[in-house]
Every structure is written in C-alpha cells, then in structure tokens.
Amino acid sequence: MSIIKRSDKNPILLPHKDHPWESEAVFNGCPMPVGKKIHLVYRAVSGLHYHSESDRQLRVSSIGHATSTDGIRFKDRKQLILPEESWDRFGCEDPRVTRIGSTYYIFYTALSTYPPTPDGIRVALATTKDFKHINKKNLVTPFNAKAMALFPEKIGGKFWGILSVNTDKPPVSIGLISFDLEEQIVSTGYWNAWYASLSAHTINLQRTDDDHVEVGSPPLKTKHGWLVVYAHIQNYFSNHKVFGIEAVLLDLKNPFRIVGRTRFPLMVPEEEYELYGQVPNIVFPSGAYIKRDRLYIYYGSADTTCSVATCSLSKLIDSMIDSKKSRVYFLRNANNPVLSALQDHPWEAKAVFNPAAWYDGKKVHVLYRAMSEDNTSVFGYAVFDKKLKLVSRNSEPVYVPRESFEEKKNPGGNSGCEDPRITKIGSRLYMLYTAYDGVNVPRVAISSIAVKDFAQGGWHWEKPVLISPPGFDDKDACLLPEKIGGRYVIFHRIGDSIDLAFLKELKFTDSNWLEEHKWLRPRPGSWDSLKVGIATPPVKTSAGWILFYHGVSVTRHTYRVGAVLLSLKDPEHIIARTEHHLFEPEVSYEREGQINNVVFPCGAVIIGDEVHLFYGGADSVVGIASMKVKALIALLRQPANRV
C-alpha cells in the first residue's frame, strides 16, 4: 500500500462544455500558492474547430488559469496563454510555473508544426506579475524539449532550470542548466552551446534503457534537498507502457548530485478516471506544493482531467534517502550458499534449490529440490543446528516421483517433484509441492508423513494426490499451520495472483479441487507487478500470521521477497503488506544460475528473536537470510504498509 492518497474529490477539474477552448480536456495542472489562494495553470484542449493554417479542423491546446482557496474547488477559469506566435501556433501545452521575486515564470510546450514533429516541439516561456496579463512570451529552446521549470530561488547566485530534452526523439535526458543573467534563459546561442555538450548537463533517472522520464513538478525546497516529482514510464518502447509518478531529491547547493529517490512508483493508473479518457492508463505529474508536512501532487489523469494526491512529506523523504544499512532488510548468512550441487550424487548433480524448512525446537529440517542432469527433480534432506550450521545431509533423495502425474513424459525436459512447503499440524507433517510430468501443466500435489517417522528418517510418505484442478497451471502452495474455525487453509497460485481456500478436510477427489479465489494480486508498476506467489508457510507471531511471498517485476522478471501480515483469527484478512521488498538478488549466486535474478524462499523458521528464510538462489543453490522478528513486525505496522 502506497504512502500516497488520492483525493476523494478527484478529478478536481473537468472539461467545461460551455468554454469552447477547454471543452475537450483539462489536465496537467501546476499549482502556485499565493497567500490564501492557489493559482492553477493547466493545459486546456478545445473541441474541433477550424485552424487558419491547416486544411482541417483541429483540437488545439492553450493554457488555462483558475483559482482556489482549498486546492480542490477551482473557479474563475479563463484562458491565460493562447497559441498566437509562429512557434506555438498549433498549441500551448503542459505549463510549469515558478515564482522568483515578483515574477511568475510559466514555461510551456510550444507546438509549431502540424502534424507535430520533434523539431516543432520546444519549450517556450510566458511571464506574468498577476496571472491576469502576460508581460511577454519567448521561445526558449532551439531544439526538441518539454517540461521545463526554474528552481524557485537562485543557487550560487545563478538562476537554475530543469527540463526534459529530446522527449520526442529518444533517448530522453533530464537536463540542468544555470544562467548568470535572466536574458540567457531565452538566448539561442547560450542554449546551443549547452546542448552541444548535453551529456555533461544531465542527471540519470532511468533504471533501464526501456524507461522514459520527464520532469513533473518545478523543484520544491526542503531541508533535505530540492524535491522534484517526475514521470517515470516503464516499457516505454512497447505496447505495455506503465506510467508512474516518482520523486527525486537533488542537493541544495549542487543539483547535479542526487541525494535520494523513490525506488518504485508512488502511483500508477488505478482509478477509473486514470484508466479511461483521451489517452487511457495515464497518471502524469505536472506540479506540486508543500503545506506544512503535506506534499500535494497535481497530475493529469488519462490526458482528460486534473487530479491531486497527497502524502506525508517527511515519510516520503525518509523512504527516499533511506539506505540499506538503516532500513529493515534480510541479511545473508555468512556461509551462503549453504547447499550446492554435488557432482558425485547424480540425482543432485545439476542444482539444489527452493528448500522447505521445519524447526522442531532443537534443529532445522530442510527438504530441498534437487535436480539431475536430465532435469528430473526430487527432494533431498539436510539438517541444520540452532546456529544454522549444516549438521548432516542425506546421500540419497528422501522423496522421488511415484505417480504418473510427476513422472517424466518428455525426455530431457523438466519433470518431477518441485518446490516443497511443509507444515506441521498435530502429529503429521503435510507437504504441498508442484508435480510436473513435462507435458501437462504443473499442478499442486499433497503428501504427509508422521512426525515421528520424519524425525527418525523413516521416509514413509503417504501416497500423493493432486489437489488443484486439471488444465490450470497451479503452483506455490502451502498449508496454514493451524485450523481456523475447524477448517484447513491452503494458499496457492493460479495465474498471476495468490489464491486462498478453506477446506473441512484434506481429502481430494475429482469433485473437490482447490477453488480459484483471487486474494493477493500484483501491484502495477511496483516490484511485484507481474505476478505474486506464496514463498513460505505463514509463521505465527503475536501481531498476526506473517506470510512471505515472492513478487516478480515486469522489468527483467526479477524475483524479490515481501510479506503480508494476516489476522490470527481470520487469515483471509490482510492487516498489512510491505510496500517495498525485503530481499532481492544482489550477489552472484542469486544473479547468475539456471534462472538469473532469483531469490525464492520455500521455508521460514523462527528461532529466538529472529526469522530465517531458507531460499533458492538463481534456481541453483540454497541460501539462508535472517532478520529480527520485532523489526519486521514494526515495519509491517508502519502506516505506509497498513491496508
């Protein structure tokens, strides 16, 4: 759950059908607090009308202005900046306003060509003293650029500006420029010299080469740095763009130095007014202001309306400048990887990974997935002491494929028993795992064993049965360690979400497969944006059940780990969900292997005051990562994580 909250009055500005100049859309507004008033400049789109320099009817943008006393209800709407120069004749778009002294500098995107071409999309400037009269207008950049704004005060005696360069002929750059004199802001020669060495004047906010970024708000001064809210668009060059709103902190004296930044989007399109409009699925930041400890972000929704969202400024900044040393995070065991493939054991010669774990109060029992060179998966067994030191490891597998649904039907292909999770209820250990024959879709199977037999190494497993419906790819299943209201609770995954099922008994036939009940879903734009699945069976704490889950990102398909806190009496009720991941691939044995960039826990145990994850690294080795239980609970109880 994000720390940011949308206004329940959204959208706060709608097209005005009685104003032809803004009858089609009003969006990308930039606020400017002045005394008790908030002035809003915004992009207004007209209905179709005749344009003297085109042979067709066009929708043309101009800059509107409105005022408010609460930042939500705006009135006195009027046209402030019109397309009337040769360099903005086809539209004035997306204004950003900054006040320095008694002058308001309104930068906007000027369109001089139709259909629009990169060289005809440039930055222009209009200045005003009162938002009633425009003193002068000038073209600013002689090259393709958008979204410029001035810093609200001089830095080192100079004016400073920030802008998006080459937005329409990517790759885009976020540039910083300083001016000794105000006249240089509109000097073609000054800009050409700056552009000639563009790479020396940029800050890098893209995470991948597929990202696109644009300046959102004019910089806001905080004690920690200049805060700039910006647009971060994932997968920009594909048909699966994800528009997000992020923020960066720049050093107060040297804006080229990044002090901190958000690690994932604060917002992505979710509400109806963001999903549907002139251009669907867009949230685009265009302005912001600070009032006490609240940050108000104004944004365009679906290129049709203006909306606003707010958050605690201090919490946002804390999350941006937080380092791995100070934030709650799992720490790797010094002996990692604790298990690796053994060439003299053919059944585990290729890889060992994705381990289940059970702590009996004296030692940790681990069942791990082992893979042979012909890609057959079985389960091996190892024992660790309380200090997580390896005590013993079986030379033979303790569980092998026995039924037709897990026996190899595709020579050389993957098959067998995969990714176990074990849970103790009463006098038995129940194991849920993925059964795969290499031809049909993977399904969830269940087996069990008496605790006494397991502890003594008597591997008398109950005959396994399939529990998920045929024809559905179902994985990542576990059993809650207690009955709730006389019923068993099973978590599993069909598709990209975690499902939940309540069962009176653990007997399965062709008529009572696990049902699909979407319970925990991916979060668009975040670290768990592509799919989620349970990682480990829930562990019980005084605050609630903690269920670790893995999330996969759309970008690079990286597997990370997060957690949800569930009610002890009603585990279907999610109390909290970590906004950011707790663990991610960072070291070589997690980044490189059968599947790169994977940490995949299947077992969690609490020993003393720590919770320990047993996980697979890159589908190749086994590792252990640990953290304090109190620290994890405190994190889950933070307002940003509460659901």
Side-chain angles (χ1 to χ4, degrees), residues 5 42 58 66 69 132 144 163 169 266 280 304 350 362 373 409 431 481 492 543 546 548 629 634:
K5 304 292 184 185
Y42 58 92
L58 302 178
T69 56
K132 295 178 181 178
N144 176 233
L163 72 160
K169 47 182 182 182
L266 296 169
T304 304
K350 186 171 186 178
K362 296 180 180 179
E373 292 294 349
K409 293 183 174 62
M431 179 174 68
H492 63 116
I546 296 178
F548 297 102
V629 175

PDB file of all heavy atoms in Angstrom, residues 5 42 58 66 69 132 144 163 169 266 280 304 350 362 373 409 431 481 492 543 546 548 629 634:
ATOM      1  N   LYS A   5      -2.075   9.198  -1.090  1.00  0.00           N
ATOM      2  CA  LYS A   5      -3.527   9.047  -1.106  1.00  0.00           C
ATOM      3  C   LYS A   5      -4.134   9.993  -2.138  1.00  0.00           C
ATOM      4  O   LYS A   5      -3.852  11.192  -2.129  1.00  0.00           O
ATOM      5  CB  LYS A   5      -4.133   9.360   0.269  1.00  0.00           C
ATOM      6  CG  LYS A   5      -3.557   8.540   1.414  1.00  0.00           C
ATOM      7  CD  LYS A   5      -3.941   7.089   1.312  1.00  0.00           C
ATOM      8  CE  LYS A   5      -3.420   6.312   2.525  1.00  0.00           C
ATOM      9  NZ  LYS A   5      -3.665   4.866   2.400  1.00  0.00           N
ATOM     10  N   TYR A  42      -3.048  25.276 -16.317  1.00  0.00           N
ATOM     11  CA  TYR A  42      -3.298  23.926 -16.800  1.00  0.00           C
ATOM     12  C   TYR A  42      -3.450  23.914 -18.321  1.00  0.00           C
ATOM     13  O   TYR A  42      -3.700  24.953 -18.949  1.00  0.00           O
ATOM     14  CB  TYR A  42      -4.557  23.341 -16.141  1.00  0.00           C
ATOM     15  CG  TYR A  42      -5.819  24.151 -16.370  1.00  0.00           C
ATOM     16  CD1 TYR A  42      -6.668  23.877 -17.448  1.00  0.00           C
ATOM     17  CD2 TYR A  42      -6.172  25.195 -15.506  1.00  0.00           C
ATOM     18  CE1 TYR A  42      -7.824  24.616 -17.653  1.00  0.00           C
ATOM     19  CE2 TYR A  42      -7.325  25.934 -15.704  1.00  0.00           C
ATOM     20  CZ  TYR A  42      -8.152  25.648 -16.785  1.00  0.00           C
ATOM     21  OH  TYR A  42      -9.295  26.385 -17.001  1.00  0.00           O
ATOM     22  N   LEU A  58      -9.063  21.145 -36.097  1.00  0.00           N
ATOM     23  CA  LEU A  58      -8.105  20.650 -35.122  1.00  0.00           C
ATOM     24  C   LEU A  58      -8.595  20.902 -33.705  1.00  0.00           C
ATOM     25  O   LEU A  58      -9.381  21.818 -33.450  1.00  0.00           O
ATOM     26  CB  LEU A  58      -6.753  21.352 -35.295  1.00  0.00           C
ATOM     27  CG  LEU A  58      -6.063  21.252 -36.650  1.00  0.00           C
ATOM     28  CD1 LEU A  58      -4.773  22.059 -36.621  1.00  0.00           C
ATOM     29  CD2 LEU A  58      -5.776  19.812 -37.011  1.00  0.00           C
ATOM     30  N   ALA A  66      -7.076  29.123 -13.167  1.00  0.00           N
ATOM     31  CA  ALA A  66      -8.190  29.108 -12.225  1.00  0.00           C
ATOM     32  C   ALA A  66      -7.636  29.320 -10.830  1.00  0.00           C
ATOM     33  O   ALA A  66      -6.428  29.179 -10.589  1.00  0.00           O
ATOM     34  CB  ALA A  66      -8.950  27.790 -12.320  1.00  0.00           C
ATOM     35  N   THR A  69      -9.262  28.258  -2.943  1.00  0.00           N
ATOM     36  CA  THR A  69      -8.800  28.502  -1.575  1.00  0.00           C
ATOM     37  C   THR A  69      -8.430  27.212  -0.866  1.00  0.00           C
ATOM     38  O   THR A  69      -7.814  27.248   0.206  1.00  0.00           O
ATOM     39  CB  THR A  69      -9.885  29.234  -0.757  1.00  0.00           C
ATOM     40  OG1 THR A  69     -11.089  28.461  -0.788  1.00  0.00           O
ATOM     41  CG2 THR A  69     -10.137  30.627  -1.325  1.00  0.00           C
ATOM     42  N   LYS A 132      -3.086  37.799 -14.609  1.00  0.00           N
ATOM     43  CA  LYS A 132      -4.141  38.435 -15.401  1.00  0.00           C
ATOM     44  C   LYS A 132      -3.626  38.870 -16.764  1.00  0.00           C
ATOM     45  O   LYS A 132      -4.330  38.775 -17.768  1.00  0.00           O
ATOM     46  CB  LYS A 132      -4.704  39.651 -14.649  1.00  0.00           C
ATOM     47  CG  LYS A 132      -5.410  39.294 -13.347  1.00  0.00           C
ATOM     48  CD  LYS A 132      -5.894  40.555 -12.626  1.00  0.00           C
ATOM     49  CE  LYS A 132      -6.579  40.199 -11.316  1.00  0.00           C
ATOM     50  NZ  LYS A 132      -7.019  41.418 -10.564  1.00  0.00           N
ATOM     51  N   ASN A 144      14.336  20.121 -29.606  1.00  0.00           N
ATOM     52  CA  ASN A 144      13.197  19.410 -29.035  1.00  0.00           C
ATOM     53  C   ASN A 144      13.338  19.286 -27.517  1.00  0.00           C
ATOM     54  O   ASN A 144      14.319  18.754 -27.010  1.00  0.00           O
ATOM     55  CB  ASN A 144      13.103  18.027 -29.671  1.00  0.00           C
ATOM     56  CG  ASN A 144      12.003  17.175 -29.071  1.00  0.00           C
ATOM     57  OD1 ASN A 144      12.241  16.057 -28.644  1.00  0.00           O
ATOM     58  ND2 ASN A 144      10.793  17.690 -29.022  1.00  0.00           N
ATOM     59  N   LEU A 163      14.767  20.533 -17.177  1.00  0.00           N
ATOM     60  CA  LEU A 163      13.898  20.288 -18.332  1.00  0.00           C
ATOM     61  C   LEU A 163      14.126  18.891 -18.891  1.00  0.00           C
ATOM     62  O   LEU A 163      15.130  18.235 -18.579  1.00  0.00           O
ATOM     63  CB  LEU A 163      14.127  21.332 -19.420  1.00  0.00           C
ATOM     64  CG  LEU A 163      15.434  21.283 -20.230  1.00  0.00           C
ATOM     65  CD1 LEU A 163      15.275  22.053 -21.535  1.00  0.00           C
ATOM     66  CD2 LEU A 163      16.609  21.842 -19.428  1.00  0.00           C
ATOM     67  N   LYS A 169      12.372  12.450 -29.577  1.00  0.00           N
ATOM     68  CA  LYS A 169      13.340  11.665 -30.349  1.00  0.00           C
ATOM     69  C   LYS A 169      14.311  11.025 -29.355  1.00  0.00           C
ATOM     70  O   LYS A 169      15.458  11.428 -29.228  1.00  0.00           O
ATOM     71  CB  LYS A 169      14.065  12.502 -31.404  1.00  0.00           C
ATOM     72  CG  LYS A 169      14.604  13.844 -30.939  1.00  0.00           C
ATOM     73  CD  LYS A 169      15.252  14.555 -32.126  1.00  0.00           C
ATOM     74  CE  LYS A 169      15.855  15.878 -31.706  1.00  0.00           C
ATOM     75  NZ  LYS A 169      16.443  16.612 -32.855  1.00  0.00           N
ATOM     76  N   LEU A 266       5.250   5.949  -6.861  1.00  0.00           N
ATOM     77  CA  LEU A 266       4.306   6.350  -5.831  1.00  0.00           C
ATOM     78  C   LEU A 266       2.884   6.058  -6.282  1.00  0.00           C
ATOM     79  O   LEU A 266       2.008   5.756  -5.475  1.00  0.00           O
ATOM     80  CB  LEU A 266       4.451   7.850  -5.543  1.00  0.00           C
ATOM     81  CG  LEU A 266       5.780   8.315  -4.953  1.00  0.00           C
ATOM     82  CD1 LEU A 266       5.867   9.829  -4.987  1.00  0.00           C
ATOM     83  CD2 LEU A 266       5.923   7.805  -3.530  1.00  0.00           C
ATOM     84  N   PRO A 280      -5.838   6.533 -22.483  1.00  0.00           N
ATOM     85  CA  PRO A 280      -6.064   5.705 -21.290  1.00  0.00           C
ATOM     86  C   PRO A 280      -4.775   5.378 -20.533  1.00  0.00           C
ATOM     87  O   PRO A 280      -3.668   5.465 -21.060  1.00  0.00           O
ATOM     88  CB  PRO A 280      -6.689   4.424 -21.877  1.00  0.00           C
ATOM     89  CG  PRO A 280      -7.173   4.803 -23.233  1.00  0.00           C
ATOM     90  CD  PRO A 280      -6.241   5.862 -23.714  1.00  0.00           C
ATOM     91  N   THR A 304      -7.145  13.856 -19.660  1.00  0.00           N
ATOM     92  CA  THR A 304      -8.508  14.386 -19.782  1.00  0.00           C
ATOM     93  C   THR A 304      -8.865  15.320 -18.642  1.00  0.00           C
ATOM     94  O   THR A 304      -9.521  16.341 -18.854  1.00  0.00           O
ATOM     95  CB  THR A 304      -9.525  13.228 -19.832  1.00  0.00           C
ATOM     96  OG1 THR A 304      -9.179  12.344 -20.904  1.00  0.00           O
ATOM     97  CG2 THR A 304     -10.941  13.747 -20.060  1.00  0.00           C
ATOM     98  N   LYS A 350      23.037 -31.310 -10.840  1.00  0.00           N
ATOM     99  CA  LYS A 350      22.847 -30.085 -11.627  1.00  0.00           C
ATOM    100  C   LYS A 350      22.547 -28.864 -10.748  1.00  0.00           C
ATOM    101  O   LYS A 350      23.112 -27.786 -10.949  1.00  0.00           O
ATOM    102  CB  LYS A 350      21.720 -30.266 -12.638  1.00  0.00           C
ATOM    103  CG  LYS A 350      21.568 -29.082 -13.591  1.00  0.00           C
ATOM    104  CD  LYS A 350      20.595 -29.385 -14.718  1.00  0.00           C
ATOM    105  CE  LYS A 350      20.562 -28.254 -15.732  1.00  0.00           C
ATOM    106  NZ  LYS A 350      19.661 -28.555 -16.871  1.00  0.00           N
ATOM    107  N   LYS A 362      14.912 -27.988  18.315  1.00  0.00           N
ATOM    108  CA  LYS A 362      16.312 -28.331  18.523  1.00  0.00           C
ATOM    109  C   LYS A 362      17.138 -28.181  17.245  1.00  0.00           C
ATOM    110  O   LYS A 362      18.286 -27.765  17.281  1.00  0.00           O
ATOM    111  CB  LYS A 362      16.433 -29.762  19.041  1.00  0.00           C
ATOM    112  CG  LYS A 362      15.803 -29.978  20.413  1.00  0.00           C
ATOM    113  CD  LYS A 362      15.971 -31.417  20.869  1.00  0.00           C
ATOM    114  CE  LYS A 362      15.349 -31.642  22.244  1.00  0.00           C
ATOM    115  NZ  LYS A 362      15.484 -33.065  22.687  1.00  0.00           N
ATOM    116  N   GLU A 373      21.078 -34.110 -14.037  1.00  0.00           N
ATOM    117  CA  GLU A 373      21.459 -33.571 -15.340  1.00  0.00           C
ATOM    118  C   GLU A 373      20.380 -33.780 -16.402  1.00  0.00           C
ATOM    119  O   GLU A 373      20.345 -33.064 -17.404  1.00  0.00           O
ATOM    120  CB  GLU A 373      22.778 -34.192 -15.815  1.00  0.00           C
ATOM    121  CG  GLU A 373      23.994 -33.789 -14.995  1.00  0.00           C
ATOM    122  CD  GLU A 373      24.346 -32.312 -15.115  1.00  0.00           C
ATOM    123  OE1 GLU A 373      23.776 -31.628 -15.988  1.00  0.00           O
ATOM    124  OE2 GLU A 373      25.181 -31.831 -14.304  1.00  0.00           O
ATOM    125  N   LYS A 409       7.552 -37.448 -19.003  1.00  0.00           N
ATOM    126  CA  LYS A 409       6.922 -37.838 -20.265  1.00  0.00           C
ATOM    127  C   LYS A 409       7.568 -37.141 -21.455  1.00  0.00           C
ATOM    128  O   LYS A 409       7.191 -37.361 -22.598  1.00  0.00           O
ATOM    129  CB  LYS A 409       5.419 -37.520 -20.222  1.00  0.00           C
ATOM    130  CG  LYS A 409       4.633 -38.361 -19.223  1.00  0.00           C
ATOM    131  CD  LYS A 409       3.147 -38.034 -19.290  1.00  0.00           C
ATOM    132  CE  LYS A 409       2.333 -38.976 -18.398  1.00  0.00           C
ATOM    133  NZ  LYS A 409       2.687 -38.866 -16.977  1.00  0.00           N
ATOM    134  N   MET A 431       3.084 -31.954   3.336  1.00  0.00           N
ATOM    135  CA  MET A 431       3.926 -31.356   2.313  1.00  0.00           C
ATOM    136  C   MET A 431       3.101 -31.100   1.059  1.00  0.00           C
ATOM    137  O   MET A 431       2.490 -32.013   0.497  1.00  0.00           O
ATOM    138  CB  MET A 431       5.107 -32.268   1.969  1.00  0.00           C
ATOM    139  CG  MET A 431       6.009 -31.695   0.875  1.00  0.00           C
ATOM    140  SD  MET A 431       7.501 -32.683   0.582  1.00  0.00           S
ATOM    141  CE  MET A 431       6.785 -34.190  -0.127  1.00  0.00           C
ATOM    142  N   PRO A 481      -0.420 -23.438   9.398  1.00  0.00           N
ATOM    143  CA  PRO A 481      -0.056 -24.389  10.463  1.00  0.00           C
ATOM    144  C   PRO A 481      -1.147 -24.681  11.490  1.00  0.00           C
ATOM    145  O   PRO A 481      -0.911 -25.477  12.393  1.00  0.00           O
ATOM    146  CB  PRO A 481       1.149 -23.712  11.134  1.00  0.00           C
ATOM    147  CG  PRO A 481       1.693 -22.786  10.123  1.00  0.00           C
ATOM    148  CD  PRO A 481       0.508 -22.300   9.361  1.00  0.00           C
ATOM    149  N   HIS A 492      -2.381 -20.923  -2.570  1.00  0.00           N
ATOM    150  CA  HIS A 492      -1.801 -21.456  -3.807  1.00  0.00           C
ATOM    151  C   HIS A 492      -1.889 -20.385  -4.886  1.00  0.00           C
ATOM    152  O   HIS A 492      -2.457 -19.309  -4.670  1.00  0.00           O
ATOM    153  CB  HIS A 492      -2.510 -22.750  -4.233  1.00  0.00           C
ATOM    154  CG  HIS A 492      -3.970 -22.584  -4.574  1.00  0.00           C
ATOM    155  ND1 HIS A 492      -4.480 -22.816  -5.831  1.00  0.00           N
ATOM    156  CD2 HIS A 492      -5.024 -22.209  -3.809  1.00  0.00           C
ATOM    157  CE1 HIS A 492      -5.787 -22.595  -5.823  1.00  0.00           C
ATOM    158  NE2 HIS A 492      -6.142 -22.233  -4.615  1.00  0.00           N
ATOM    159  N   ALA A 543       1.612 -10.488  16.635  1.00  0.00           N
ATOM    160  CA  ALA A 543       0.932  -9.460  15.835  1.00  0.00           C
ATOM    161  C   ALA A 543       0.029 -10.059  14.764  1.00  0.00           C
ATOM    162  O   ALA A 543      -0.837  -9.372  14.223  1.00  0.00           O
ATOM    163  CB  ALA A 543       1.966  -8.550  15.181  1.00  0.00           C
ATOM    164  N   ILE A 546       2.557 -14.025   9.670  1.00  0.00           N
ATOM    165  CA  ILE A 546       3.385 -13.375   8.650  1.00  0.00           C
ATOM    166  C   ILE A 546       3.596 -14.357   7.511  1.00  0.00           C
ATOM    167  O   ILE A 546       4.153 -15.440   7.708  1.00  0.00           O
ATOM    168  CB  ILE A 546       4.743 -12.916   9.219  1.00  0.00           C
ATOM    169  CG1 ILE A 546       4.529 -11.836  10.287  1.00  0.00           C
ATOM    170  CG2 ILE A 546       5.628 -12.369   8.093  1.00  0.00           C
ATOM    171  CD1 ILE A 546       5.804 -11.354  10.947  1.00  0.00           C
ATOM    172  N   PHE A 548       5.356 -14.741   3.955  1.00  0.00           N
ATOM    173  CA  PHE A 548       6.297 -14.224   2.966  1.00  0.00           C
ATOM    174  C   PHE A 548       5.838 -14.651   1.578  1.00  0.00           C
ATOM    175  O   PHE A 548       5.345 -15.765   1.393  1.00  0.00           O
ATOM    176  CB  PHE A 548       7.711 -14.738   3.244  1.00  0.00           C
ATOM    177  CG  PHE A 548       8.265 -14.270   4.554  1.00  0.00           C
ATOM    178  CD1 PHE A 548       8.286 -15.108   5.662  1.00  0.00           C
ATOM    179  CD2 PHE A 548       8.749 -12.977   4.698  1.00  0.00           C
ATOM    180  CE1 PHE A 548       8.774 -14.679   6.880  1.00  0.00           C
ATOM    181  CE2 PHE A 548       9.252 -12.532   5.918  1.00  0.00           C
ATOM    182  CZ  PHE A 548       9.260 -13.384   7.004  1.00  0.00           C
ATOM    183  N   VAL A 629      12.519 -10.478  14.294  1.00  0.00           N
ATOM    184  CA  VAL A 629      11.063 -10.536  14.195  1.00  0.00           C
ATOM    185  C   VAL A 629      10.449  -9.198  14.587  1.00  0.00           C
ATOM    186  O   VAL A 629       9.531  -8.699  13.927  1.00  0.00           O
ATOM    187  CB  VAL A 629      10.498 -11.667  15.083  1.00  0.00           C
ATOM    188  CG1 VAL A 629       8.974 -11.638  15.083  1.00  0.00           C
ATOM    189  CG2 VAL A 629      11.003 -13.016  14.607  1.00  0.00           C
ATOM    190  N   ALA A 634       7.474  -4.297  13.342  1.00  0.00           N
ATOM    191  CA  ALA A 634       7.435  -2.834  13.395  1.00  0.00           C
ATOM    192  C   ALA A 634       7.282  -2.253  11.995  1.00  0.00           C
ATOM    193  O   ALA A 634       6.546  -1.281  11.785  1.00  0.00           O
ATOM    194  CB  ALA A 634       8.699  -2.297  14.065  1.00  0.00           C
TER     195      ALA A 634
END
